[in-house]
Amino acid sequence: MAERDVLTLRSQQNPLRANTLRRRAAGWWPLLVAIVPLVFLSIFFVLPVGGMMARGLHPDGHWALGDALGVFGRSRQQRVVLFTLGIAAVGTIATTLLGLPVAYALYRLRIPGAGILRAIVVTPFVLPTVVVGVAFRTLLTSSGPLGFLGLDGGWIAIALALVFFNLSVVVRTVGSAWAGLDARPQDAAAALGASPAQVFRTVTLPALAPTILSAVTIVFLFCATAFGVVLTLGGLKYSTIETEIYLQTTDILDLRTAAVLSIAQFLVVILLLVVVERARAGVTPTPQRAGVSARRRPARHDLPVLSATAAVVAFLILPIASLVVRSLQANGGWSLENYQRLSGVGDGNALLVPVIDAITSSWRIAIDATLISVSLGLAVAVVISYRPSGQAGGHAGGKRTRRIAVLDALFMLPLGISAVTVGFGFLVTLDKPPLDLRNSPYLIPIAQALVALPLVVRTVAPALSAIDDRQRQAAASLGAGRWGVIATVDLPVIWRPLLAATGFAFAVSLGEFGATSFLARPENPTLPVVIYQLIGHPGGQNFGMALAASVLLAAMTAAVMAGVEGLRVGSVGRF
């Protein structure tokens, strides 16, 4: 008798034991799927961050904690830390106050063109930070449309750019939760005589509080780790921890101070991610399509919200419109001259390669980074969305759930760690055999994939979690094999989120600047790096080329995100 027949016979004789063995086997496959992403994360995230810590705390083979703490006794570093916390707080408060009414208008009211407005709101988040900085400079400079405000070169310009960049986080995260709220408690409160403000304060706000806290924490995180925006608008006058790490590494060549600042930032990020996870634990998952039918026509008392939404949309459009207009002006009139110069290297040989070549490099690198991040992100999403059937409770089920929660948090770490820190970690750790990758063409794609990986997971995992496992069991009972179940149950649900995640990852990689600015070689730069180089060189021609290149980069990312938005995947851009 064949071994398989023996096992089958034993299973028939002892079905309880067979079921137990089957459940144990099923409990291990998520960890097997997670092996490749874990190895990737260990080599390209844990190792660089560990090397960075060693550079700051254990230089020259001995511990130097006192010297490390002494970095924060310097007046310059104290100013940097205080400015980082202050600008992040201002940016977060303003983003939240402006984002909440927009979230309500776009997700609870039935207004014409809501899809287009949501695309306008989400697009700034994927715009390259360098492009955002250039756009605000053209808007606020003395010759710009808002130059009379005198904000160019000040901290308010940085705060406005941070709000512009992060509004979509609040709108998408809170709006999706708002759309899924049960309207009956609010209707009941209104029927008992509560005003709209009282309904919001006593019913809606408590229900949304965990989601709002999660969004606020993420926005603070993004504001505190902003790089391209601060570097472009703040220059040497205003510096955050992120830009200080860059300056200490590239200009001052004080790698130890840069490492200590990176460690401090890393610890703060860990603390904030813990807050996010605790806030997310209080969020009730939104059922698919829930809340869509609850949208209603705007009423008169919605006029303040609609006015605020219109003002915010105008605020989002104005910098980009100013950028496009300025790129089409040269020698005192309308012209395409700035675009025609993109085939050259700029005034005074500002670049080593033409901008056109940088565009080609950006596309190639972004495609590689997208393939890596989507492949790994899908595996991680499968693991963290896994819910063992028939084991809702019990000690073993609780341990398994905690393991998956740890995996989830682990793969979210790159979301909070700044790209500059990742790039710096690559430089100080991946420079010796067998991991000497300094000349590898895959170093930048890997760094960009780390940045995009959490976004892919956050887009795909909710769709996988929403699949009722009983559908898979029904398909299996009808004779479908493992791949048949995936083809008939999982794929029809996740193909849209997976496609949206692919576009999202591509757009983010295309505009990534923080890590790439560390790793890109002068003869093979990406488009964001070239834009920053052009801004740093004097001359009107170079600045005009930077404007034209920024418009092209913004157009490419916006086109990709328009396609993503057309897929109508609610989890895109949610945290």
Side-chain angles (χ1 to χ4, degrees):
M1 184 179 291
E3 184 180 358
R4 182 177 178 181
D5 296 333
V6 173
L7 292 175
T8 303
L9 181 59
R10 288 180 178 174
S11 298
Q12 291 171 348
Q13 292 172 343
N14 193 347
L16 182 60
R17 177 175 172 76
N19 287 335
T20 302
L21 292 175
R22 203 173 290 124
R23 282 201 300 268
R24 288 179 178 175
W28 281 103
W29 74 259
L31 297 180
L32 294 177
V33 173
I35 285 178
V36 174
L38 280 173
V39 171
F40 178 85
L41 200 68
S42 300
I43 295 176
F44 298 111
F45 182 75
V46 177
L47 181 62
V49 171
M52 178 192 66
M53 288 186 173
R55 183 63 65 99
L57 302 178
H58 197 254
D60 305 324
H62 65 276
W63 292 99
L65 297 179
D67 294 342
L69 292 175
V71 170
F72 298 101
R74 303 172 190 166
S75 59
R76 176 178 174 84
Q77 273 64 51
Q78 289 176 351
R79 287 198 306 271
V80 166
V81 172
L82 290 176
F83 180 75
T84 302
L85 296 176
I87 199 70
V90 170
T92 302
I93 293 171
T95 303
T96 306
L97 293 178
L98 293 175
L100 289 180
V102 178
Y104 176 79
L106 297 186
Y107 287 86
R108 292 292 287 183
L109 299 180
R110 195 181 307 133
I111 56 179
I116 296 175
L117 295 177
R118 284 197 290 269
I120 292 174
V121 170
V122 78
T123 296
F125 183 72
V126 296
L127 283 181
T129 53
V130 173
V131 172
V132 174
V134 173
F136 271 84
R137 282 188 64 178
T138 61
L139 183 68
L140 300 175
T141 189
S142 57
S143 59
L146 299 182
F148 63 92
L149 296 175
L151 301 178
D152 187 30
W155 66 269
I156 296 179
I158 299 174
L160 289 174
L162 293 177
V163 173
F164 174 88
F165 191 74
N166 291 301
L167 260 172
S168 71
V169 175
V170 174
V171 174
R172 296 293 296 237
T173 304
V174 179
S176 298
W178 213 329
L181 283 184
D182 187 351
R184 287 172 297 184
Q186 302 167 57
D187 295 339
L192 292 173
S195 66
Q198 289 173 320
V199 172
F200 177 78
R201 191 179 67 254
T202 59
V203 180
T204 308
L205 188 57
L208 290 176
T211 305
I212 294 175
L213 176 61
S214 174
V216 165
T217 310
I218 289 291
V219 170
F220 185 86
L221 200 60
F222 287 162
C223 289
T225 57
F227 176 62
V229 166
V230 180
L231 196 64
T232 308
L233 294 174
L236 297 177
K237 186 177 180 181
Y238 295 102
S239 186
T240 61
I241 292 178
E242 191 80 352
T243 58
E244 184 70 7
I245 294 171
Y246 179 80
L247 293 175
Q248 291 287 342
T249 305
T250 58
D251 290 356
I252 305 176
L253 301 180
D254 187 350
L255 298 185
R256 188 175 178 190
T257 297
V260 172
L261 291 173
S262 297
I263 293 169
Q265 188 182 51
F266 178 73
L267 295 177
V268 172
V269 165
I270 295 293
L271 177 64
L272 291 175
L273 286 180
V274 170
V275 174
V276 171
E277 286 304 313
R278 288 186 176 276
R280 288 181 65 238
V283 178
T284 302
T286 304
Q288 283 190 316
R289 308 290 296 169
V292 175
S293 60
R295 291 179 189 167
R296 58 173 177 78
R297 291 181 178 277
R300 178 171 295 181
H301 65 262
D302 294 318
L303 192 57
V305 170
L306 294 175
S307 300
T309 302
V312 168
V313 171
F315 166 71
L316 296 177
I317 292 176
L318 196 56
I320 301 303
S322 174
L323 176 66
V324 174
V325 170
R326 288 291 302 274
S327 73
L328 293 171
Q329 293 177 338
N331 302 319
W334 296 99
S335 171
L336 292 175
E337 194 173 325
N338 290 327
Y339 292 88
Q340 293 168 345
R341 290 178 181 144
L342 295 182
S343 59
V345 294
D347 188 20
N349 293 324
L351 307 172
L352 289 182
V353 299
V355 178
I356 299 297
D357 291 358
I359 294 176
T360 304
S361 297
S362 291
W363 273 78
R364 177 178 49 77
I365 292 172
I367 290 173
D368 292 342
T370 302
L371 291 174
I372 296 171
S373 61
V374 171
S375 302
L376 297 175
L378 179 60
V380 175
V382 168
V383 172
I384 66 173
S385 61
Y386 170 68
R387 298 291 182 271
S389 59
Q391 293 187 9
H395 181 65
K399 285 179 63 177
R400 185 173 293 110
T401 302
R402 284 193 293 274
R403 283 201 299 265
I404 292 176
V406 170
L407 280 176
D408 184 19
L410 188 62
F411 283 103
M412 287 303 105
L413 278 178
L415 180 69
I417 303 300
S418 73
V420 168
T421 301
V422 173
F424 179 44
F426 275 33
L427 281 184
V428 301
T429 56
L430 303 180
D431 59 345
K432 298 180 182 65
L435 290 174
D436 187 0
L437 302 178
R438 288 172 295 181
N439 297 319
S440 172
Y442 296 105
L443 195 58
I444 299 177
I446 288 172
Q448 293 184 354
L450 268 177
V451 176
L453 177 61
L455 305 176
V456 174
V457 175
R458 280 286 176 261
T459 303
V460 178
L464 284 170
S465 299
I467 298 176
D468 191 337
D469 195 54
R470 289 173 295 185
Q471 298 177 28
R472 300 188 180 103
Q473 295 172 16
S477 66
L478 292 173
R482 183 179 296 275
W483 294 109
V485 171
I486 293 174
T488 56
V489 177
D490 294 83
L491 276 182
V493 175
I494 70 165
W495 74 267
R496 281 177 181 272
L498 193 58
L499 193 57
T502 302
F504 201 19
F506 181 79
V508 169
S509 300
L510 200 60
E512 205 285 326
F513 176 64
T516 309
S517 63
F518 271 94
L519 304 173
R521 301 178 71 84
E523 67 275 13
N524 193 27
T526 62
L527 190 51
V529 173
V530 159
I531 292 171
Y532 182 69
Q533 290 174 347
L534 286 170
I535 295 173
H537 281 77
Q541 288 187 7
N542 292 331
F543 190 68
M545 289 175 63
L547 297 179
S550 298
V551 171
L552 289 181
L553 187 53
M556 287 187 283
T557 53
V560 173
M561 286 311 297
V564 170
E565 189 64 25
L567 293 170
R568 299 179 180 276
V569 177
S571 55
V572 174
R574 290 174 58 187
F575 297 95

